[in-house]
Every structure is written in structure tokens, then in C-alpha cells.
Amino acid sequence: MKISTKTQYGLKAIIYLAGNSKKGCFCSIKQIAESEGISPDYLEKIISKLEKAGILKAQKGAKGGYSLAMPAKKIKLGELVNVLEGENYFVQCLGGDKKSCSKCKGCLAQNFWQKFQEKLDNFLNSVSLEDLIKNKF
Amino acid sequence: MKISTKTQYGLKAIIYLAGNSKKGCFCSIKQIAESEGISPDYLEKIISKLEKAGILKAQKGAKGGYSLAMPAKKIKLGELVNVLEGENYFVQCLGGDKKSCSKCKGCLAQNFWQKFQEKLDNFLNSVSLEDLIKNKF
DNA sequence: ACAAAGCCGACAAATCTTGTCGGCTTTATC
DNA sequence: GATAAAGCCGACAAGATTTGTCGGCTTTGT
């Protein structure tokens, strides 16, 4: 139960983009990776996911790179976490994915984790990238 | 970023104990493991941690086993998670454990994860084992 | 044409979680 | 006191996941 570096890197990347890709300007992977001290090859995979999810916008070819796909105000951190950690990132029934665990349906423990996940989601979806940058959370 | 099975097993175990070890009676690892479908050897390690942390009480020898070390009302779920996932279970600076990351001090991302952790802790520490059993959370 | 940069899939290394095992100690009971 | 049930403990192994690397392809501005 830790924040994966994937998600931490992803957050650092969008913070960087929020600050550096103004006015239709794009930042390259290399640039972000160097600034944040991340392996460029790995960062590419992370950023690629964010682009497919519609959070970032890509510009191919020379002078290309990435920028936010929308104003920082509209990017909720919950989205970022969902994309990088997976939809049901926190709670997962012990019975496995395919076979729904009959024992767990309505069991006390599972109910609790479910509630826990909700609390998490609520918080993450209440904070936008802009809020984060302005330290308003 | 998932609840580890370790923690899930731990929770199931203390729920079981809350229901089955009344009146100075102890439940053996074997008993709990069978009831919850957990590997006894693995469960032992988990429960042992909880005992060392003072959440459970052990009775050695024949007819021995475990019981809650205090009333369910006094056991906060935050404790359980802290013990099984580790103190700083959520936020961990990218710079590594030993060398404190100077880059990260006061960085936006880190501040945010810190706040996130606080929210988590607040919730987990607001729910007791008793609350959980009575579905009051 | 060229070079910069994104795109993509395969693979490799490292780490962490999960689980197993064997042997020891403690204690209730006969 | 012998026995068996049960906790205690450390080492190790298997499996899963995360993290990272690489090579080659495509796209596009100059």
C-alpha cells in the first residue's frame, strides 16, 4: 500500500507541464525527465498512458512533445490516479478478479475497504491540478 | 497502491477474534486460518506482528491461542494498518529512505501526498473495530 | 533529406509480497 | 514426567508486480 513511483512520476510530470507548456508550447519527454530526474524511457510509458486517457495532448515530430489537454482547473487528481493505478486501485476482493467471491459479498471487512476507497476517491476528486499548484487543498 | 492481502487477512483475523474469543477464551491460528481460508503459516506471521504491537494477546502452550488485547472499542483500524503496512505506509520520498531528498522538501507533489496520507490516517483512526462490526462508519 | 521527437511492443532487472518449512519453546492435561 | 497442542522464530523459495531498458518504427518541422 504505497504510492507507486509511476503515479508519483506522473504527478510530477503534469505539474511540470502545468508550469512550462503555456501558449501552445510543448515539452519533450527528455526535457521533463531531465528536470525531474526520471528515466526518460520509463517516463514515456507513463505519459503515454495519460495521453491516451485524454489528460495530456501530444504533438508528434520535431519540436513536438506534450502539454495539458485542458486547463489545470479541470484536471482532477483522481483521474490521474485512476489512470495510472487502475480503476479499482485500492479494493480488490480476495476471491480474485473473475470469480466473484460469494464469501465476501457483504462481509464486514470488504464493506469497510469499500468505504475506505470511497473516502479516498472523494478526496482525490475534490482536488484539481490548479488547486495543487496553488496549495489550496 | 493496493491493500495487501496481509492487511486484509489481519483485519479478518481480528474480526474473527472479536466474535469468537470472548471470556478469556483463545482461538488458535489453525482455527482462524481454517475459518477464513488463509494459509496458517502465513497467518501466523501476520498475527505475530499484531501481538508484538499490543493489539492481540497470546497464550502459549496447549489450549493456547490469541485473543484481543483490549476491548474492540479501543482498537482503531489505523493501528492495524500502521502495524501491517508500516508507519509511513503511503508517502515515501522518491529520494530514498536514508538520504533525505532535498529536492522534495516542500515540493508540491510531496506536500500533496502528505496531505493525502493525513486524510487516510484520519479516517482509519476514526473507526474502531467495534464500529466496524456494528457497521457504524 | 535529416533529425527530433513521439509511439509501441518485447524483454530484463529488481523489488516486494506471499507463502513454506523446520525446529524450538511453552504449557495444559493425563 | 511424557505427550501433544500450540505459539515463536528465522531462513528460504515462489510468484507477482513494478520499474526500467532497448530497438526500431512513424511523424513532422526545418
Side-chain angles (χ1 to χ4, degrees):
Chain A
M1 193 155 102
K2 282 185 199 128
I3 308 167
S4 64
T5 65
K6 183 162 55 176
T7 300
Q8 294 187 63
Y9 289 164
L11 181 57
K12 288 194 166 208
I14 68 170
I15 290 173
Y16 182 90
L17 287 172
N20 294 81
S21 70
K22 318 241 174 193
K23 299 174 196 163
C25 160
F26 296 92
C27 301
S28 71
I29 295 275
K30 198 180 164 190
Q31 188 182 337
I32 305 170
E34 264 171 21
S35 161
E36 303 299 323
I38 309 171
S39 147
D41 284 318
Y42 190 36
L43 183 61
E44 188 205 283
K45 296 213 299 193
I46 297 165
I47 281 190
S48 175
K49 276 195 178 187
L50 295 174
E51 193 255 329
K52 274 175 194 150
I55 294 172
L56 300 181
K57 197 166 49 181
Q59 169 68 37
K60 292 183 188 177
K63 303 259 170 169
Y66 293 90
S67 70
L68 300 183
M70 60 188 89
K73 204 172 191 168
K74 295 206 168 175
I75 299 178
K76 301 297 182 188
L77 298 188
E79 290 180 62
L80 181 108
V81 172
N82 273 340
V83 170
L84 296 180
E85 301 283 338
E87 276 286 337
N88 296 321
Y89 55 98
F90 213 84
V91 172
Q92 123 228 57
C93 182
L94 286 182
D97 281 346
K98 301 281 164 67
K99 35 179 174 175
S100 78
C101 167
S102 61
K103 263 193 165 180
C104 277
K105 281 221 177 92
C107 89
L108 291 167
Q110 218 59 23
N111 282 351
F112 175 72
W113 296 123
Q114 208 79 44
K115 187 73 178 185
F116 187 39
Q117 169 93 51
E118 269 173 45
K119 289 276 178 184
L120 275 164
D121 281 341
N122 285 346
F123 175 65
L124 290 176
N125 286 322
S126 75
V127 181
S128 72
L129 178 55
E130 187 177 81
D131 294 333
L132 185 151
I133 287 166
K134 294 188 174 168
N135 251 301
K136 284 186 181 172
F137 56 91
Chain B
M1 192 156 101
K2 281 183 202 131
I3 309 166
S4 64
T5 66
K6 183 162 53 176
T7 300
Q8 293 187 64
Y9 290 163
L11 181 56
K12 287 193 168 210
I14 67 171
I15 290 174
Y16 182 91
L17 287 173
N20 294 81
S21 72
K22 315 242 171 193
K23 300 173 194 161
C25 160
F26 296 92
C27 301
S28 71
I29 295 274
K30 199 179 162 191
Q31 188 182 340
I32 305 170
E34 263 171 22
S35 161
E36 303 299 323
I38 308 170
S39 148
D41 284 319
Y42 190 34
L43 182 61
E44 188 204 282
K45 295 213 301 193
I46 297 165
I47 282 190
S48 174
K49 277 195 176 186
L50 295 174
E51 194 255 327
K52 273 175 195 151
I55 295 173
L56 299 183
K57 198 168 49 184
Q59 169 68 37
K60 291 185 191 177
K63 302 261 173 170
Y66 294 91
S67 69
L68 300 183
M70 60 189 88
K73 204 171 187 168
K74 294 207 169 171
I75 299 177
K76 301 296 183 189
L77 298 189
E79 289 180 62
L80 181 107
V81 172
N82 273 341
V83 170
L84 296 179
E85 301 284 337
E87 276 286 336
N88 297 320
Y89 54 98
F90 211 84
V91 171
Q92 124 227 60
C93 182
L94 285 181
D97 282 344
K98 302 281 165 70
K99 36 182 173 173
S100 78
C101 167
S102 62
K103 262 193 166 181
C104 276
K105 282 225 176 87
C107 89
L108 291 169
Q110 218 59 21
N111 282 350
F112 175 71
W113 296 123
Q114 208 79 44
K115 186 74 178 184
F116 188 38
Q117 169 93 50
E118 270 172 44
K119 289 275 177 184
L120 275 166
D121 282 340
N122 285 347
F123 175 64
L124 290 176
N125 287 322
S126 75
V127 182
S128 72
L129 179 53
E130 186 177 83
D131 294 333
L132 186 150
I133 286 166
K134 296 191 173 163
N135 251 299
K136 283 186 179 172
F137 56 88

